Amino acid sequence: MNPARIEEEFPAPSYRGNQQAALGEIREAFAAGNDVVLVRAPTGSGKSLLARAIAGCAVRADEATPAEPVGAYYTTPQVSQLDDVAADPLLSDLQVIRGKRNYTCLVAGETDTPVDRAPCARETGFDCSIKHRCPYFSDRTIASNRSVAAMTLAYFMQTAGSDAFGQRDVAVIDEAHGLAEWAEMYATIDLRPDTVPVWDELSIPDIDGAEAAARFADRLSGVCGRRKDTLVGADELTIAEVTERDRLQELISNLDWFVSDYRDPGSASTWIVDQPGGESSSVTIKPLNPERYLQHTVWDRANNFALLSATILDKEGFCRGVGLDPDDAALIDVSHTFPVENRPLYDVTQGKMTYEHRDETLPEIARLIVRLMAHHADEKGIVHAHSYAIAERLVDRLREFGVDGRVRTHDRENRDAALETWLATDDPELFVAVKMEEALDLEGDLARWQVLCKAPYPNTRDSRVARRLEEGQWGWYYRTALKTVIQACGRVVRAPDDRGATYLADASLLDLFDRSRGAMPEWFAAQVDRMSRPELPAFDPGAAGGDGGTNGTTTASRRTRRSRSDPDDHPLADVWGSD
C-alpha cells in the first residue's frame, strides 16, 4: 500500500474534528511497517470517511506486478452501517455487494423470487438469457472489479476462497470491536430438528465432549452429503428443496471445518459442546477462540488491515482474541471533539437488575421511565431494555400506567420495520428496544434521551462465558460490558452541536464503571466524572402523555418470536450460496 496517498484519498471537501490529525497518525503507522493499524475513534468522528481514505491507499492495478494483490475491501458487521455507506454520496465509489437473498430475479414470472431461490438455483443447466442483467451477479461483477468492494462481515467471511473476491492489498473493518464475538457466532454449529434437514434419519448419542462431537459431526456430514448429492443430481428442484440443499451445503462445510480444526494439533481453538437435554437432544458446538477461523476468513484476505472502532478498549486483549500479535499492530487514539456537557450521564439508579433483584427493581424503573417521559414531554427517547423479557415486562407496566399511547416496541420479527416507523415519526414517542446499542444513528431530534435498563454483562449461562470466568478472565467480562455501554452512549449524540442525555437505571452500571475504570477511553471517563443525579418531576402518568390509549405497537413483543439461532434468522442466512 501507499500510505502517502491517505490525505488525497480523503473523500470529504474538508475535515471535521480530529480527522486530519488522525489521517496523519494512521499514515505514519502504516509507513512504519505495521501491517495492522487499530484506530480507536469515538462515535461521530467520521470513521467511514477515514476508512475510505485508508482503502484508497491500496496498490492500484497500474502499479502492481501481475501476481500482486490490488484494491481494498471495506467491511462491517452491521447491515445498517453498510446501508449508511451505500447512501453516503461521499462514498459513492465504494461498490456495495450483498447476499443473494437481498436481490430479486428478473426472469418473467419470478420477479418476486429472491435470486438464491430463482430458476438458476432450482434447475440443473438452466441457461439464463438475462444473467448479465441479474442485479446480484451484476453487483458482484462490478464489486469484484472495483478498487473498493464494500460488504457485510458475514458476506466477507462467507466468500473466503471465492474466485470473485480473492486476496486484496488492504482490508478495512469498521466497528471491529466485536470481531472475535462475531467470529464465534458465525462458527457456532446448532444441530436441531429445524437446522438439520436429515434429523429424522439420525440417532443422537449422548455427546460428552469435543471428541464425541467430532465423531458425531463426521457421521452427520456423511448423511448430509448423501442427501445433498441426491438434490444436486436432480434436474429440477422446488424452492423448499433448494432451501434444503443450501442448508445441507452450509452444514457440511461447518461440520467439516469443526472436525478439521479440532483434529489439528496446531489449532488454538477450544471447542465447547452443549447438549442440555442429554441423549437424543439438540447439540450446539461452539468455538472459544476462533483464531484459525479468522485466519482463513479474514487475515488471509489482505496484506494490510485497518480496524476501526470506538471501543477497542484493550489492545493486547483484543489482538490475542482475534489471533493477532499485539507487537505487530499499532494503536491510534482519536480524541473526542464533542463537548462533554452535550453528552451527560445521569445516575437515576433504582436498584440492581440482576436476576435475583429484578422483580423489585423493574417496577421502579418503569415508574422512573414515566417520570422521564414527563421530563422530556416533547422529545423522542429510547430505552435499551437489554432483553426481550425485560422489554415485555416494562411495556406491560407502562401500559398499566396508561402511557402506552406514547410507547413503541418491537419483536425479533418486526424489529427493522418498527424501528423505521419510529424513526419516521415526529411525535415524542419512546422506543423500547432490544440489542440496538450499536450502529444506530439518532442524531438531532431523532432522540434526545435514552435509558440503560441493565448493565450488559455477557450471559453467564453461556458455556463460553462460563469457561472464560472459570479461567479467571474477569477483565474480559467487564470490558465486554463496558464496550456495549460506551456504544450505547454514542447513539444520541452524533455531532459537535448535537445533545442527548443518557440515564443509568441499573445500580450495577456504577459498579461496572468502578471495576473497568482503567479500560475507559479518556473522553468517556470525562463523562463518568461529570455524572450527576437530575431533578425529575414526580410520578404522574398524565404529565407523561398517558391517555389510556394505545397506538397498537406495544403488543408486538407478545407475538411468537423466532430463536436467534433459527436458520432463517442467522446472520449468515442472507449469504448462503453467495458465490
Side-chain angles (χ1 to χ4, degrees):
M1 68 183 299
N2 182 6
R5 281 204 299 259
I6 196 166
E7 283 89 358
E8 67 184 68
E9 289 292 331
F10 187 72
S14 61
Y15 296 110
R16 187 180 75 192
N18 291 327
Q19 289 173 333
Q20 186 172 19
L23 290 177
E25 292 187 56
I26 295 167
R27 170 173 37 80
E28 294 303 317
F30 278 118
N34 293 288
D35 294 333
V36 179
V37 175
L38 314 179
V39 182
R40 185 163 57 192
T43 300
S45 55
K47 289 191 292 295
S48 296
L49 300 181
L50 299 178
R52 169 59 186 83
I54 297 167
C57 298
V59 171
R60 297 168 179 168
D62 59 356
E63 302 169 336
T65 63
E68 190 176 8
V70 299
Y73 289 114
Y74 170 88
T75 183
T76 172
Q78 304 288 353
V79 174
S80 59
Q81 185 81 10
L82 190 67
D83 292 341
D84 291 343
V85 166
D88 191 337
L90 295 175
L91 303 174
S92 59
D93 60 341
L94 272 67
Q95 179 61 41
V96 173
I97 174 66
R98 307 177 191 272
K100 284 183 178 179
R101 69 183 298 178
N102 295 280
Y103 300 85
T104 54
C105 183
L106 298 180
V107 174
E110 301 281 353
T111 52
D112 292 329
T113 305
V115 170
D116 63 338
R117 301 292 180 262
C120 60
R122 303 196 309 262
E123 300 176 24
T124 300
F126 180 80
D127 184 14
C128 182
S129 62
I130 55 172
K131 183 176 179 179
H132 62 288
R133 292 198 287 116
C134 173
Y136 170 73
F137 287 102
S138 175
D139 275 5
R140 194 186 72 162
T141 299
I142 295 171
S144 67
N145 289 287
R146 190 70 65 86
S147 59
V148 185
M151 59 194 70
T152 64
L153 183 64
Y155 189 92
F156 181 66
M157 288 180 166
Q158 183 72 7
T159 54
S162 160
D163 291 335
F165 297 108
Q167 187 181 28
R168 294 201 173 194
D169 186 42
V170 174
V172 182
I173 304 176
D174 208 348
E175 303 296 342
H177 53 275
L179 185 58
E181 290 81 1
W182 282 89
E184 286 182 358
M185 182 172 65
Y186 294 156
T188 292
I189 307 171
D190 280 309
L191 304 176
R192 307 188 311 272
D194 56 339
T195 63
V196 180
V198 295
W199 186 267
D200 292 340
E201 301 176 31
L202 301 173
S203 173
I204 314 299
D206 184 4
I207 299 176
D208 58 0
E211 175 59 36
R215 293 194 301 269
F216 176 66
D218 253 343
R219 181 162 62 88
L220 176 57
S221 178
V223 176
C224 290
R226 289 189 290 274
R227 173 59 179 162
K228 182 206 73 173
D229 291 344
T230 300
L231 294 170
V232 170
D235 291 336
E236 185 172 351
L237 301 177
T238 65
I239 288 180
E241 288 171 332
V242 169
T243 302
E244 181 183 357
R245 180 201 63 194
D246 291 350
R247 185 80 69 231
L248 288 166
Q249 289 175 330
E250 179 71 13
L251 184 56
I252 292 166
S253 175
N254 288 342
L255 291 167
D256 291 349
W257 170 262
F258 157 59
V259 174
S260 170
D261 185 76
Y262 171 71
R263 292 180 175 160
D264 179 359
S267 173
S269 300
T270 298
W271 290 90
I272 296 174
V273 181
D274 292 336
Q275 192 183 25
E279 186 175 344
S280 299
S281 67
S282 302
V283 181
T284 302
I285 305 170
K286 302 182 284 191
L288 189 60
N289 300 302
E291 295 177 12
R292 186 164 172 252
Y293 181 80
L294 283 169
Q295 187 66 47
H296 169 62
T297 59
V298 177
W299 307 129
D300 288 345
R301 307 288 297 280
N303 294 330
N304 304 277
F305 291 86
L307 281 64
L308 293 80
S309 172
T311 50
I312 297 176
L313 301 181
D314 173 63
K315 174 190 170 185
E316 286 71 23
F318 174 82
C319 288
R320 286 192 297 269
V322 298
L324 295 173
D325 185 341
D327 293 336
D328 294 337
L331 174 64
I332 304 300
D333 252 321
V334 181
S335 59
H336 215 316
T337 59
F338 297 0
V340 67
E341 57 270 20
N342 288 7
R343 42 188 172 94
L345 296 178
Y346 290 114
D347 175 3
V348 291
T349 53
Q350 303 296 302
K352 291 187 175 182
M353 279 290 284
T354 52
Y355 188 77
E356 61 270 26
H357 295 103
R358 192 170 302 167
D359 287 345
E360 304 168 10
T361 305
L362 190 142
E364 296 304 315
I365 290 179
R367 292 177 65 87
L368 165 69
I369 290 172
V370 172
R371 296 171 67 195
L372 290 170
M373 292 171 71
H375 187 58
H376 295 275
D378 298 319
E379 295 176 325
K380 293 170 70 173
I382 183 170
V383 173
H384 298 286
H386 184 71
S387 72
Y388 284 101
I390 292 174
E392 184 167 346
R393 291 179 64 182
L394 280 175
V395 169
D396 284 345
R397 287 280 177 170
L398 296 174
R399 183 182 295 110
E400 292 172 7
F401 295 146
V403 299
D404 52 314
R406 193 180 157 190
V407 175
R408 189 178 296 274
T409 190
H410 67 89
D411 59 22
R412 286 183 176 90
E413 294 180 339
N414 75 342
R415 56 182 287 126
D416 292 340
L419 174 63
E420 289 302 317
T421 302
W422 175 69
L423 291 173
T425 185
D426 293 327
D427 296 332
E429 290 184 351
L430 178 68
F431 192 53
V432 180
V434 178
K435 302 301 180 187
M436 293 191 184
E437 296 93 346
E438 298 186 29
L440 181 59
D441 185 343
L442 300 177
E443 184 173 359
D445 291 334
L446 289 177
R448 291 295 183 186
W449 60 285
Q450 61 182 348
V451 181
L452 303 189
C453 283
K454 186 182 182 303
Y457 287 113
N459 186 355
T460 56
R461 288 175 291 179
D462 185 302
S463 53
R464 283 173 297 197
V465 175
R467 173 70 70 86
R468 287 188 169 103
L469 296 185
E470 288 171 6
E471 296 173 353
Q473 297 184 37
W474 289 95
W476 165 85
Y477 184 69
Y478 295 121
R479 286 193 303 273
T480 300
L482 180 64
K483 282 190 299 186
T484 304
V485 171
I486 295 175
Q487 288 286 335
C489 288
R491 296 312 99 208
V492 295
V493 184
R494 308 294 300 181
D497 58 349
D498 199 4
R499 58 175 177 80
T502 298
Y503 297 94
L504 310 178
D506 180 7
S508 295
L509 287 162
L510 305 183
D511 180 64
L512 170 63
F513 290 165
D514 288 341
R515 293 177 181 272
S516 60
R517 178 73 188 207
M520 287 182 188
E522 291 184 7
W523 54 267
F524 186 73
Q527 285 179 256
V528 174
D529 289 341
R530 288 175 53 92
M531 185 166 53
S532 62
R533 290 195 71 91
E535 293 288 337
L536 297 178
F539 177 77
D540 181 358
D547 58 8
T550 178
N551 58 14
T553 59
T554 59
T555 59
S557 62
R558 294 185 177 278
R559 297 177 187 169
T560 301
R561 305 188 192 106
R562 293 181 298 186
S563 166
R564 180 69 177 109
S565 55
D566 185 305
D568 290 330
D569 199 34
H570 190 279
L572 285 178
D574 70 333
V575 297
W576 286 341
S578 57
D579 218 33

